[in-house]
Amino acid sequence: MQMQIITLRASPSAHRLVPPLASASSSNLSAGRCFLLRPSHSRCRRPRSLRASASLEQEVKERADSPSPSAGASSQATRRDVRNIAIVAHVDHGKTTLVDSMLRQSKVFRDNQVVQERIMDSNDLERERGITILSKNTSITYKGTKINIIDTPGHSDFGGEVERVLNMVEGILLVVDSVEGPMPQTRFVLKKALEFGHAVVVVVNKVDRPIARPEFVVNSTFELFIELNATDEQCDFQTVYAIGLKGKAGISADNLADDLGPLFEAILRCIPEPRIEKDGALQMLVTSTEYDEHKGRIAIGRLHAGELKRGMEVKVCTPDDACRIGKIGELFVYENFGRVPVESVSAGDICAVCGINDIMIGETIADKVSGTALPTIKIEEPTVRMSFSINTSPFVGKEGKFVTSRNLRDRLYRELERNLAMKVEDGETADTFLVSGRGTLHLTILIENMRREGYEFMIGPPKVINKTVNGKLLEPYEIAAIEVPEEYMGSVVELLGKRRGQMLDMEASGPEGTSLLKYKVPTRGLIGLRNAILTASRGRAILNTIFDSYGPWAGDISSRDQGSLVAFEGGSTTSYACVNAQERGILFVKPGQDIYKGQIVGIHQRPGDLALNVCKKKAATNVRSNKETTVVLDEPLSYSLDDCIEYIQEDELVEVTPESIRMSKNPKISKKKNN
């Protein structure tokens, strides 16, 4: 039999004799993991469907049967009837749509049941914005095996959600667009998964796109694995090609099955079974929490050891050995698209627990007698800070129900119970709070949820969180990937240069005439950049960012070249005044709108602010004109909450109410300037 010598990256000195892949029998495909042997000098990834090596089966089996160092005296086992996976991807690469198809094909819904698109995006904001914000659990059953699925956010600002749920799974489905390939968020979530040692199944989605380039995408993904120092087992990922919207998948991009069967088979074949301590002391790490009006707080996590029963008394432990006694009120597991009450849950499954109303994320539900805490969840530090304060405008209390500092404090600190990536500190005054998050979008989602709940408050401009190390000032840097048509590339490069961006790479992208620019930019320089790039590219550029590291202070950055138009008198705006005001810039207001003194009513066409009167009325005279001059008012500029937060500068605020979003000058800073 022909023999082949390969060198594994993890141990350069070890040489193993193995038969070639072509000789692997089909019976070997059900081995615990998928391996593809590759020469150590190869930098090209070719998709293959046969992923087993007969000579490595014994090694995999021994590794699966060997006890974990943390097992102690308890027995180790695997649950062959369960798989726990998380679906991760860059934003808009189609993971939620893929989950929809998986649920439909698993007969979760009745044949006559009306099912909306993006089933997992149940939050109103998720549906409006078309993004996943909160991770969600569901499960399906395939050939007698229960597959717990966790749908995760794709935007880097919600990376804290991804970091939490990776504690509950043994493997991930990495969904990659067949044209764009690995993007910044792909790198982030993959790095976290590889650090946990999880197995990875790569799903190349949207292969039906006319400009799809699946082979390039697979090779780019393989290069990314190598850059992230993945092990040889992890680099040997199974590739599945899919059309999530149509519910089709296959092991070849040119030969897709009529359903997602090949994807389900890959999950069963390549994702390891949960390793459990069947006879060990009860341990469950709380990874997420929800709130129900009738059941109270619900703790969600994976049971690592022992058995959890309804009504049993348990110990709630923290890493600092501070424990308390609690009782399990109700117990649920995830089946199909909902929670199902059960009497007991075995180790290895994901479950939801009710009855412990003060439980927090990162705590451990353990055995009452001999239970110990599991390592807590570590989340990366926030990089952006904003000030929240009570509404001080003349219109305070007209639209909102919660306007006091006590209301604001309670709501912000309540958010910390679920949002581990966020921090809240008291500000300089009793009615001001400093809220830190992973990015402006992370904080904007909180603001939007609060205003829909009836809160009124003021928001200050976002500021980056700097560090001082060895006497040197460091600031956060991010990697920005910009897809832009070549005709607008010059304008975009100029914008990034002004914001202290350093070009890392430039290459032709998938669509014809489109380039992909990669920059390392200070986080300060990214604030307000999205709108500037959209303006420079006539709305055709796509900007994606991901936190990279802390680096030296880059110097002063000018983020806005134009000033604001500020109302120096309150009242109702008039057409006569707006006609004169629009000659000075672009207005945010229209005739008949109530405003107050100090409110920002437009963008000045020149640097510096300009105070004007947009409530002025035309004087009535006895002189009759032959014909009134017809003047057409320009359509006012409508800014969303995200746009307003990116627009404001140091001396400006955003007023947020359930019905309105206004910008104004900060009276405290204005007084300091005048004095």
Side-chain angles (χ1 to χ4, degrees):
M1 182 169 58
Q2 181 185 359
M3 309 297 284
Q4 180 183 6
I5 298 177
I6 67 162
T7 303
L8 295 180
R9 291 171 57 250
S11 179
S13 62
H15 290 73
R16 297 175 185 171
L17 298 176
V18 297
L21 285 173
S23 65
S25 63
S26 59
S27 63
N28 292 331
L29 291 178
S30 59
R33 294 196 186 185
C34 305
F35 291 94
L36 177 64
L37 302 177
R38 58 180 177 81
S40 59
H41 64 272
S42 173
R43 301 289 289 179
C44 182
R45 181 74 158 91
R46 294 183 179 277
R48 295 177 184 261
S49 59
L50 298 179
R51 302 255 174 178
S53 169
S55 65
L56 291 181
E57 286 182 11
Q58 186 63 29
E59 179 186 338
V60 174
K61 186 176 184 301
E62 292 173 358
R63 185 182 305 162
D65 294 338
S66 61
S68 171
S70 61
S74 59
S75 61
Q76 286 282 323
T78 58
R79 285 196 60 179
R80 299 186 180 278
D81 60 335
V82 174
R83 299 291 191 279
N84 299 315
I85 63 170
I87 298 187
V88 297
H90 188 80
V91 65
D92 285 339
H93 280 198
K95 59 188 174 306
T96 303
T97 304
L98 183 64
V99 174
D100 286 359
S101 297
M102 295 172 74
L103 290 170
R104 287 191 175 94
Q105 293 188 19
S106 302
K107 304 299 182 183
V108 171
F109 309 104
R110 302 187 310 272
D111 292 337
N112 62 344
Q113 185 172 349
V114 178
V115 181
Q116 58 189 355
E117 290 185 0
R118 302 204 322 275
I119 309 158
M120 298 294 283
D121 285 348
S122 55
N123 186 296
D124 289 340
L125 271 180
E126 291 178 321
R127 294 198 162 277
E128 291 174 16
R129 293 173 177 253
I131 60 174
T132 301
I133 297 171
L134 302 173
S135 60
K136 302 171 191 67
N137 299 60
T138 187
S139 75
I140 58 175
T141 302
Y142 180 76
K143 292 186 176 180
T145 300
K146 180 182 179 182
I147 303 175
N148 286 310
I149 302 173
I150 306 176
D151 185 21
T152 63
H155 200 285
S156 59
D157 283 22
F158 309 111
E161 292 281 323
V162 180
E163 291 175 72
R164 284 195 287 124
V165 301
L166 289 178
N167 286 275
M168 293 196 288
V169 300
E170 284 78 32
I172 66 168
L173 294 188
L174 181 68
V175 183
V176 186
D177 188 276
S178 64
V179 176
E180 296 179 353
M183 296 295 284
Q185 182 66 5
T186 312
R187 183 186 187 93
F188 172 78
V189 294
L190 180 59
K191 179 183 177 183
K192 294 297 178 185
L194 295 178
E195 289 174 356
F196 276 92
H198 292 332
V200 182
V201 174
V202 175
V203 181
V204 181
N205 196 24
K206 306 181 184 180
V207 294
D208 58 335
R209 294 181 64 177
I211 52 177
R213 44 180 185 170
E215 187 173 349
F216 166 82
V217 169
V218 172
N219 288 334
S220 300
T221 306
F222 181 62
E223 291 286 344
L224 182 58
F225 272 71
I226 294 177
E227 288 178 24
L228 298 177
N229 297 319
T231 65
D232 284 277
E233 290 86 354
Q234 291 171 329
C235 284
D236 174 38
F237 54 81
Q238 170 73 61
T239 304
V240 179
Y241 302 89
I243 306 174
L245 190 61
K246 297 180 180 178
K248 296 182 178 181
I251 54 177
S252 170
D254 302 324
N255 185 21
L256 300 184
D258 294 331
D259 56 17
L260 293 174
L263 176 60
F264 292 133
E265 292 290 345
I267 292 172
L268 298 186
R269 189 171 67 247
C270 301
I271 303 299
E273 300 93 347
R275 294 186 59 78
I276 61 172
E277 298 176 30
K278 190 174 182 180
D279 300 326
L282 172 67
Q283 279 186 319
M284 172 184 154
L285 181 67
V286 178
T287 310
S288 181
T289 58
E290 295 178 2
Y291 184 80
D292 186 274
E293 291 183 359
H294 305 289
K295 297 180 176 63
R297 188 173 299 177
I298 302 173
I300 301 169
R302 198 189 93 181
L303 193 59
H304 289 266
E307 185 178 17
L308 196 60
K309 296 181 180 179
R310 182 171 177 263
M312 74 183 298
E313 288 191 342
V314 296
K315 187 192 296 183
V316 181
C317 302
T318 58
D320 56 0
D321 295 330
C323 300
R324 59 190 186 278
I325 301 298
K327 185 176 181 179
I328 306 299
E330 292 185 75
L331 197 57
F332 299 88
V333 295
Y334 290 90
E335 287 186 8
N336 299 334
F337 191 59
R339 286 194 295 259
V340 178
V342 292
E343 291 297 318
S344 65
V345 176
S346 300
D349 209 347
I350 294 174
C351 62
V353 177
C354 303
I356 309 175
N357 289 326
D358 60 345
I359 197 162
M360 303 288 288
I361 294 174
E363 294 182 331
T364 302
I365 297 176
D367 184 76
K368 183 180 178 181
V369 178
S370 58
T372 56
L374 288 165
T376 190
I377 301 171
K378 294 182 179 179
I379 302 293
E380 289 189 0
E381 292 295 312
T383 58
V384 175
R385 177 187 293 126
M386 295 171 63
S387 65
F388 286 51
S389 59
I390 61 171
N391 191 359
T392 55
S393 81
F395 295 164
V396 59
K398 290 187 175 182
E399 299 173 1
K401 294 186 295 182
F402 308 108
V403 297
T404 66
S405 60
R406 181 177 58 84
N407 296 143
L408 188 59
R409 171 189 287 272
D410 292 346
R411 177 63 180 85
L412 290 176
Y413 279 95
R414 194 163 69 246
E415 182 71 17
L416 295 181
E417 298 176 3
R418 187 190 57 81
N419 204 330
L420 288 188
M422 191 170 286
K423 290 186 177 181
V424 178
E425 307 168 72
D426 291 338
E428 296 179 355
T429 60
D431 55 8
T432 303
F433 307 93
L434 299 178
V435 183
S436 306
R438 296 286 277 270
T440 54
L441 182 61
H442 186 200
L443 299 176
T444 300
I445 294 298
L446 169 64
I447 296 168
E448 185 65 40
N449 281 324
M450 288 177 63
R451 69 183 289 251
R452 295 186 181 201
E453 294 168 11
Y455 287 85
E456 278 192 18
F457 50 99
M458 307 286 273
I459 302 296
K463 299 177 182 178
V464 300
I465 301 174
N466 299 320
K467 291 182 178 180
T468 302
V469 179
N470 297 328
K472 295 182 179 180
L473 182 62
L474 304 181
E475 65 174 326
Y477 281 76
E478 299 190 33
I479 300 297
I482 308 102
E483 286 186 45
V484 59
E486 291 181 358
E487 56 191 294
Y488 304 115
M489 193 164 62
S491 302
V492 172
V493 168
E494 183 181 358
L495 273 174
L496 289 162
K498 289 181 179 179
R499 292 169 181 259
R500 306 285 182 173
Q502 306 168 18
M503 182 180 287
L504 302 178
D505 191 17
M506 179 174 64
E507 60 182 23
S509 185
E512 187 176 351
T514 302
S515 296
L516 178 64
L517 307 176
K518 291 185 180 179
Y519 273 80
K520 185 175 181 180
V521 191
T523 303
R524 285 183 301 137
L526 292 173
I527 297 174
L529 180 63
R530 193 176 304 274
N531 280 334
I533 284 183
L534 287 174
T535 302
S537 64
R538 306 295 188 269
R540 295 176 62 186
I542 301 173
L543 172 66
N544 293 292
T545 60
I546 187 74
F547 173 73
D548 180 56
S549 61
Y550 273 82
W553 177 261
D556 294 333
I557 296 176
S558 175
S559 59
R560 202 176 81 189
D561 298 328
Q562 296 170 304
S564 299
L565 298 177
V566 184
F568 69 76
E569 184 179 288
S572 181
T573 57
T574 64
S575 301
Y576 173 72
C578 288
V579 168
N580 296 326
Q582 73 181 12
E583 298 177 0
R584 305 285 187 173
I586 305 172
L587 294 180
F588 294 140
V589 297
K590 57 185 178 181
Q593 190 171 329
D594 291 334
I595 63 168
Y596 54 83
K597 182 180 179 181
Q599 182 176 333
I600 297 174
V601 295
I603 303 174
H604 192 202
Q605 60 189 0
R606 296 179 180 177
D609 296 336
L610 176 66
L612 43 73
N613 188 357
V614 289
C615 301
K616 186 178 180 180
K617 298 179 180 179
K618 185 177 181 181
T621 65
N622 292 327
V623 179
R624 179 181 297 174
S625 59
N626 293 329
K627 185 179 180 181
E628 291 290 340
T629 305
T630 302
V631 178
V632 179
L633 274 173
D634 296 333
E635 185 70 21
L637 191 61
S638 178
Y639 264 11
S640 66
L641 175 61
D642 304 69
D643 297 330
C644 291
I645 289 175
E646 287 196 347
Y647 175 82
I648 59 173
Q649 290 191 325
E650 185 69 28
D651 62 338
E652 296 169 344
L653 298 169
V654 178
E655 178 191 356
V656 178
T657 72
E659 298 179 18
S660 307
I661 298 173
R662 308 179 186 93
M663 292 181 286
S664 65
K665 304 302 288 187
N666 190 338
K668 296 180 181 178
I669 296 181
S670 300
K671 288 180 181 178
K672 290 181 181 179
K673 287 183 177 181
N674 294 333
N675 294 336

